[in-house]
Amino acid sequence: MEPFFLAGRLEWRNFAAMNRTDIMRLLLSPRLRQLDRYTGRAEELQMQVLQRLLHAARHTEWGREHGFEETKTYEQFDQRNPVNTYEELKGHIDRMRHGERDVLWPGRVRWYAKSSGTTNDKSKFIPVSAEALRDTHYRGGTDAVVWYLRNNPHSNLFGGKALILGGSHQPNYNVAGSLVGDLSAILIENINPLVNLVRVPKKDTALLADFEVKRDRIAREAMHKDVTNLSGVPSWMMSVITRVLELTGKQTLSEVWPNLEVFFHGGVAFTPYRRQYERLLPHSGMHYMETYNASEGFFALQDDPNQKAMRLMLDYGVFYEFIPMSEFGLEDASILPLWAVEKDRNYAMLISTSSGLWRYVIGDTVRFESIDPYRIVISGRTKSFINAFGEELIVDNADRGLSIACHHTGAQVSEYTAAPVFMNAQGKCRHQWLVEFSVAPDDLERFADVLDENLQQLNSDYEAKRHKDITLQRLELIAVPQGTFERWLAMKGKLGGQHKVPRLSNDRKIVEEILGML
């Protein structure tokens, strides 16, 4: 008798002869057919998600207060529900953490992802429900594999091990009835045990809190395995693989893991790290796939290797809305559903999720590079920009400018941050960049010139403020020693896990802290 999933076409002996990757390809093929039907159905799929969320939460405190039972249209949802930041939902989330049921989401939510803080708090605690784990986070990871196998028909992804980096539990934040950890630790803790058969490091290593100890243990556990794929934040993965090379005495990762074929990366922009990875993985068969996942959910992934933009995933437990950045912060700002957005405009993204985040300002800004399929790039943060003088410099500009400067000078950037230097008595002002190079340029001032010139080409507001040095002078670039940003993160208690270096700040707090370490 043929297995039920072979649709009567494949004989058992052929199935038994297949390798693990081909078996997974076959098992995932129904999902691929679903994804192929995305086109032309954005409004339908997103309204199905909204109705599921409203139905599930209709008897919660939030659902009763905001008329979920009677809400049938998007317009009604828009009229009855306010836009929320973490501050607006914090009281509800705190009650949930302390065991209250049916507040923002039905039942009791056990897990909370610790994330970067707000203006008023050191940390945020993002609820992660069992439904969100299933219908968003794990589905996103599965779909990344689905798209990758579609694009790489000769892959042997499951022929070896996956090196997956994760954060740690935060037991000092636990309260009765709820647990706190980095999102990646929550995913590791709740994942199907069968996945542990094909991953490294061991679970107890993956959940260690001390990143420096963990990095060494991960490297030692992984260096003799047949690793075929990597998953994690580029900066922390680079730290681990550098340790692998130190321990093995090899020059490239291709010598350590000859069958390594893909790095699934997310968390920070990959542009500043690409050349470092290409140097350590020089073979042409290496692939890179970007994912957009956060404590709040899994939102998009790079379905086409020839496109930088990522496909927005429409049928997860996430309903999307968007505020044009030109109106962000205004009381009467427009709020648009996905099917009303326009190409090539920057938007602040709002999400409503199966963890009870309702019309939540996630803090990221995105730009649509295509409509249907809806593909986005993360253009920056609603609070990560420099606009001290009307220049409106965003992270996307900074990453692209650095990439061009590296291309022209042969440099490689590990980390960076930038902030304004405010006007002195003569009305002079500029941006100050602290850059950590893995390969320094021969001429630092030429690198700064190229960067400044390209920022002007990428951003018309920056160009206007730089005109004849009247408002804004040429940027100042300070090369900091290797390891500086890692020491700063360690000083802040944010080494490892999901923590990352803030790229752009509208004040000098971070820059001054780092300069004080030099």
Side-chain angles (χ1 to χ4, degrees), residues 43 488 498:
E43 183 173 357
W488 178 78
Q498 302 297 308

Side-chain angles (χ1 to χ4, degrees), residues 432-452:
Q432 187 177 59
W433 291 63
L434 309 186
V435 180
E436 183 177 319
F437 292 97
S438 56
V439 176
D442 291 334
D443 186 337
L444 192 65
E445 290 306 306
R446 178 169 177 262
F447 185 97
D449 283 335
V450 175
L451 174 59
D452 189 75

Side-chain angles (χ1 to χ4, degrees), residues 122 484-495 509-510 512-514 516-517:
K122 182 178 179 180
T484 296
F485 284 97
E486 192 168 301
R487 288 194 297 115
W488 178 78
L489 286 169
M491 181 184 75
K492 306 294 287 185
K494 294 184 176 182
L495 188 62
K509 181 175 184 293
I510 293 171
E512 292 295 348
E513 287 179 351
I514 296 173
M517 297 167 49

Side-chain angles (χ1 to χ4, degrees), residues 352-365:
S352 296
T353 75
S354 53
S355 284
L357 300 177
W358 300 105
R359 305 194 90 182
Y360 180 83
V361 182
I362 190 172
D364 288 335
T365 65

Side-chain angles (χ1 to χ4, degrees), residues 13-24:
R13 62 179 177 274
N14 292 333
F15 176 74
M18 297 171 72
N19 65 38
R20 284 186 293 182
T21 303
D22 289 336
I23 292 171
M24 289 303 301

Side-chain angles (χ1 to χ4, degrees), residues 412-443:
Q412 294 179 19
V413 172
S414 298
E415 297 285 359
Y416 75 91
T417 194
V421 175
F422 296 99
M423 291 184 181
N424 59 19
Q426 289 74 44
K428 300 295 185 181
C429 56
R430 64 189 184 282
H431 290 179
Q432 187 177 59
W433 291 63
L434 309 186
V435 180
E436 183 177 319
F437 292 97
S438 56
V439 176
D442 291 334
D443 186 337

Side-chain angles (χ1 to χ4, degrees), residues 385-394 397 459 461-462 465:
F385 57 86
I386 303 178
N387 193 30
F389 317 108
E391 65 274 45
E392 297 189 18
L393 188 73
I394 61 175
N397 302 151
N459 184 315
D461 290 310
Y462 183 84
K465 300 302 180 291

